[in-house]
């Protein structure tokens, strides 16, 4: 019963990620694309965790989600410093 | 169903609702800074609620401690990332006169020297690269406040 509930949550999060991907390809400013990538980072972290619930072996998926969140944050900071200018 | 499962279902549903609403706001809003604000605020709240729901689900083991670390990292990293994107956009485009000059620098103190005008001439050199972007986006990206 819990797995049935979590599958609906997973489908909703996949729809959000696809909507952000379409928005990234149709945005005009480069800052819009950076913003949509940042939104996708947080959603993918929760997709990994919820998938770990459905699969049963929760202990493996938490470490992957932890390292992905740190990786996404460092990527955003480096991209913002590169695109933003010299100051 | 044990009460911890009921609490987990409530928290995870609330977190998903906030994530969906903030992602919807990113698509709808007309201005770049409004979109950034919608994604930065809503995502942090949805992430916090969902991690608390997952901690109710797994009980009090080592796994809930790792989910607590994810909670702390997302609590600190989400507003920081939003701030970095905002600073990158403001320093390049100089939106809404954020990099305002002092009023005393705009008027010449000496009639002889006549060195009144723009003190920060570096901003003009940086803005010249984005002139094509500014002219293309003037129809769509008009500021809301003016």
């Amino acid at each position: 019963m819990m797995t049935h509930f979590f599958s609906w949550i997973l489908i909703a999060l996949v729809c959000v990620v696809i909507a952000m991907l379409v928005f990234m390809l149709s945005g005009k400013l480069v800052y819009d694309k950076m913003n949509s990538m940042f939104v996708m980072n947080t959603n993918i972290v929760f997709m990994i965790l919820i998938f770990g619930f459905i699969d049963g072996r929760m202990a493996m998926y938490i470490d992957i989600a932890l390292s992905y969140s740190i990786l996404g944050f460092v990527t955003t900071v480096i991209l913002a410093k590169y695109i933003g200018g010299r100051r | 169903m044990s009460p911890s499962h009921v609490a987990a279902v409530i928290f995870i549903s609330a977190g998903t609702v906030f994530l969906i609403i903030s992602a919807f706001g990113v698509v709808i809003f007309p201005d770049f800074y409004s979109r950034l604000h919608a994604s930065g605020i809503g995502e942090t709240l949805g992430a916090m609620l969902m991690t608390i729901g997952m901690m109710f689900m797994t009980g009090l083991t080592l796994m809930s401690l790792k989910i607590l670390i994810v909670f702390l990292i997302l609590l600190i990293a989400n507003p920081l990332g939003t701030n970095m994107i905002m600073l990158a956009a403001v320093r390049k485009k100089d939106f809404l006169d954020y990099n305002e000059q002092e009023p005393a620098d705009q008027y010449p103190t000496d009639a002889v020297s006549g060195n009144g005008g723009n003190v920060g001439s570096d901003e003009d050199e940086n803005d010249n690269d984005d002139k094509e972007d500014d002219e293309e986006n003037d129809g769509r990206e008009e500021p809301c406040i003016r």
Side-chain angles (χ1 to χ4, degrees):
Chain A
M1 184 173 176
M2 295 297 285
T3 60
H4 187 251
F5 166 70
F6 281 135
S7 346
W8 286 110
I9 302 271
L10 196 64
I11 287 176
L13 286 179
V14 164
C15 287
V16 166
V17 168
I18 288 180
M20 278 297 122
L21 199 61
V22 168
F23 183 68
M24 178 189 247
L25 293 176
S26 76
K28 288 185 185 171
L29 290 177
V30 68
Y31 308 107
D32 282 337
K33 310 187 186 205
M34 249 177 11
N35 192 16
S36 70
M37 196 197 74
F38 190 59
V39 170
M40 280 199 290
N41 267 337
T42 312
N43 288 60
I44 286 180
V45 164
F46 290 111
M47 272 169 61
I48 294 176
L49 281 174
I50 297 262
F51 193 76
F53 269 131
I54 295 177
D55 211 7
R57 293 177 47 177
M58 184 76 196
M60 188 170 70
Y61 288 93
I62 294 180
D63 302 331
I64 297 176
L66 190 61
S67 59
Y68 190 81
S69 72
I70 297 178
L71 201 75
F73 166 62
V74 170
T75 299
T76 301
V77 167
I78 288 179
L79 268 182
K81 271 200 171 304
Y82 175 67
I83 292 179
R86 283 175 235 128
R87 275 180 278 170
Chain B
M1 295 184 60
S2 54
S4 69
H5 279 236
V6 172
V9 163
I10 289 176
F11 272 103
I12 290 181
S13 324
T16 312
V17 161
F18 275 111
L19 280 181
I20 290 178
I21 288 178
S22 83
F24 187 66
V26 168
V27 178
I28 289 293
F29 276 136
D31 196 20
F32 163 64
Y33 285 96
S34 311
R35 279 179 243 154
L36 193 64
H37 188 82
S39 87
I41 302 290
E43 284 265 332
T44 312
L45 181 64
M48 283 166 59
L49 284 177
M50 278 188 81
T51 46
I52 289 177
M54 288 182 188
M55 282 199 289
F56 273 121
M57 181 91 183
T58 63
L60 199 65
T61 63
L62 186 64
M63 296 190 290
S64 72
L65 188 67
K66 289 183 184 174
I67 296 182
L68 183 70
I69 294 179
V70 170
F71 167 79
L72 287 176
I73 284 176
L74 278 176
L75 184 65
I76 293 180
N78 247 332
L80 264 179
T82 308
N83 207 13
M84 296 292 293
I85 296 179
M86 184 272 296
L87 283 177
V90 154
R91 284 177 179 161
K92 202 74 188 286
K93 275 185 79 170
D94 199 11
F95 195 70
L96 284 181
D97 292 330
Y98 183 79
N99 295 324
E100 226 174 81
Q101 301 160 9
E102 296 288 322
D105 294 338
Q106 284 178 356
Y107 301 103
T109 56
D110 264 347
V112 179
S113 65
N115 197 9
N118 284 340
V119 177
S121 59
D122 293 336
E123 297 173 6
D124 289 337
E125 289 177 3
N126 276 342
D127 279 340
N128 276 338
D129 298 335
D130 280 342
K131 254 192 182 166
E132 295 178 355
D133 284 341
D134 284 342
E135 283 170 4
E136 276 179 5
N137 293 328
D138 262 346
R140 188 170 182 258
E141 297 288 329
E142 284 191 351
C144 295
I145 299 181
R146 277 187 190 160

